Amino acid sequence: MKIIVTGSIAYDYLMTFPGSFTDHLLPDQLAHISLSFLVDKMERRRGGCAPNIAYTLALLGEKPTIMATAGVDFDEYRNWLNSAGVDTSLVHITPDKFTASFFCNTDLHNNQIASFYAGAMSDARHLSFHDIPKPDLVIISPNDPMAMVKHAKECRELGIRYIFDPGQQCARSTGEELAAGIKGAAVLISNDYEFELIRNKTGLGESDILRQCEAVFITRGAEGSSIYWSGEQVIVPAVPEQRIIDPTGVGDAYRGGLIKGMAMGASWEICGRLGSVAATYVLEHVGGQSHHYTWDEFVSRYQDHFGALTL
């Protein structure tokens, strides 16, 4: 199956401040803040929704292609993705910008001060499905908002089956933009908080959305996920973790498992189970691309919790 993953490509710059931010905030000077924190640790991690989803898909034996934009600093990242089995031939490089970057400083009390630089991501709106061979399945994950609206519209025009995953962009998107992305999608997927934003902004509930798409997946963290389709509903439990290291990228891995199930022609419930197993692997590692497993190892873990994997 030809699978295209659209969404952000980003670097995460994560810093640690060995103190408390609040110790340096003067109540009578909050209107004139000018602070600099000397950090004792910084990591740069490969991130972004599109590579995280594609990486899990590659682990699961698929050959996904990323269609997204990156900056002049993408070469090392591209080599990493190519070596992992991800096709980056549709990643467009913007020559005068850096790849989108998330800068986060965390103090000893887990307070955070962060900034996000969109960089080359803002040029994703110039990419078009009209310019490439028709894929079998697309996921539209968080990206430049204009790109998300455009790509959903093009998928409908071209008859391309797609998953709409507005994610963090639910907060920025209008109700009209969200409703447009939902209309005609094979699947709408979000977490429970994002779904409430979608409900409030669009006025659409589960039954309303199911009149416009095939299935709705709502992830609920440790409580698993709820799946709705054709008057049916099932709750898929989360797979117990061996350890909790970092939740970054857990939702993206779930989406990778979901897409793998769709590629296999699995039922919606099995798609959710595959997503649940994939998500737990990420929870046990740092970031969305440091985990690894073989297909046999993945199936074995699936069977430990859900029984035999049958289609």
Side-chain angles (χ1 to χ4, degrees):
M1 175 177 279
K2 180 63 175 178
I3 300 168
I4 288 186
V5 181
T6 74
S8 62
I9 297 176
Y11 285 113
D12 295 335
Y13 293 85
L14 308 179
M15 293 158 278
T16 303
F17 175 62
S20 174
F21 294 144
T22 57
D23 291 343
H24 302 273
L25 296 174
L26 304 176
D28 60 343
Q29 295 294 316
L30 293 181
H32 308 283
I33 295 175
S34 179
L35 290 171
S36 176
F37 297 99
L38 180 64
V39 300
D40 61 1
K41 182 181 178 183
M42 185 182 87
E43 297 179 49
R44 187 178 80 162
R45 298 182 191 164
R46 293 177 288 266
C49 297
N52 286 348
I53 295 169
Y55 177 76
T56 285
L57 275 168
L59 287 181
L60 294 172
E62 298 299 322
K63 299 185 183 300
T65 299
I66 294 176
M67 188 173 88
T69 47
V72 294
D73 51 348
F74 184 62
D75 282 351
E76 179 272 335
Y77 202 162
R78 184 193 295 276
N79 292 336
W80 155 255
L81 289 169
N82 289 341
S83 69
V86 176
D87 183 350
T88 60
S89 61
L90 295 183
V91 175
H92 173 78
I93 302 301
T94 303
D96 58 346
K97 294 180 181 179
F98 290 109
T99 300
S101 299
F102 175 64
F103 301 88
C104 184
N105 194 358
T106 304
D107 72 6
L108 293 180
H109 302 288
N110 286 323
N111 297 308
Q112 294 183 324
I113 297 175
S115 298
F116 183 80
Y117 164 72
M121 188 183 80
S122 60
D123 292 318
R125 66 191 66 177
H126 302 304
L127 303 180
S128 174
F129 282 102
H130 288 284
D131 298 331
I132 63 172
K134 182 179 176 180
D136 299 302
L137 180 63
V138 168
I139 180 167
I140 300 172
S141 68
N143 199 359
D144 170 66
M146 289 182 65
M148 297 176 71
V149 172
K150 176 183 178 180
H151 292 158
K153 180 175 182 290
E154 290 182 342
C155 283
R156 290 192 297 273
E157 292 172 346
L158 296 169
I160 300 170
R161 201 164 183 233
Y162 73 96
I163 299 166
F164 187 56
D165 171 25
Q168 305 98 311
Q169 295 293 19
C170 284
R172 179 168 173 175
S173 300
T174 66
E176 291 76 15
E177 289 169 339
L178 292 169
I182 292 168
K183 183 180 181 181
V187 173
L188 168 68
I189 183 167
S190 70
N191 65 30
D192 45 2
Y193 181 81
E194 292 160 355
F195 188 78
E196 289 306 311
L197 286 176
I198 293 170
R199 188 201 302 271
N200 290 337
K201 287 190 173 188
T202 65
L204 300 173
E206 294 93 335
S207 59
D208 302 309
I209 292 170
L210 286 171
R211 296 189 188 99
Q212 303 181 53
C213 61
E214 299 172 34
V216 176
F217 283 66
I218 303 174
T219 59
R220 303 183 186 277
E223 297 178 5
S225 56
S226 303
I227 308 171
Y228 305 85
W229 76 96
S230 301
E232 303 289 333
Q233 175 184 354
V234 68
I235 296 175
V236 174
V239 172
E241 69 282 345
Q242 296 173 357
R243 61 189 183 279
I244 297 178
I245 301 297
D246 180 12
T248 304
V250 167
D252 295 329
Y254 183 101
R255 286 146 177 79
L258 160 63
I259 296 169
K260 175 62 177 179
M262 293 176 70
M264 295 169 63
S267 69
W268 293 125
E269 183 172 8
I270 290 176
C271 288
R273 291 175 177 178
L274 292 169
S276 184
V277 176
T280 297
Y281 275 106
V282 173
L283 186 60
E284 298 169 343
H285 295 80
V286 175
Q289 299 171 44
S290 64
H291 57 297
H292 189 272
Y293 45 75
T294 66
W295 173 247
D296 288 343
E297 290 169 341
F298 183 90
V299 171
S300 177
R301 191 164 191 182
Y302 178 101
Q303 293 174 338
D304 287 342
H305 297 283
F306 298 115
L309 177 55
T310 56
L311 301 181

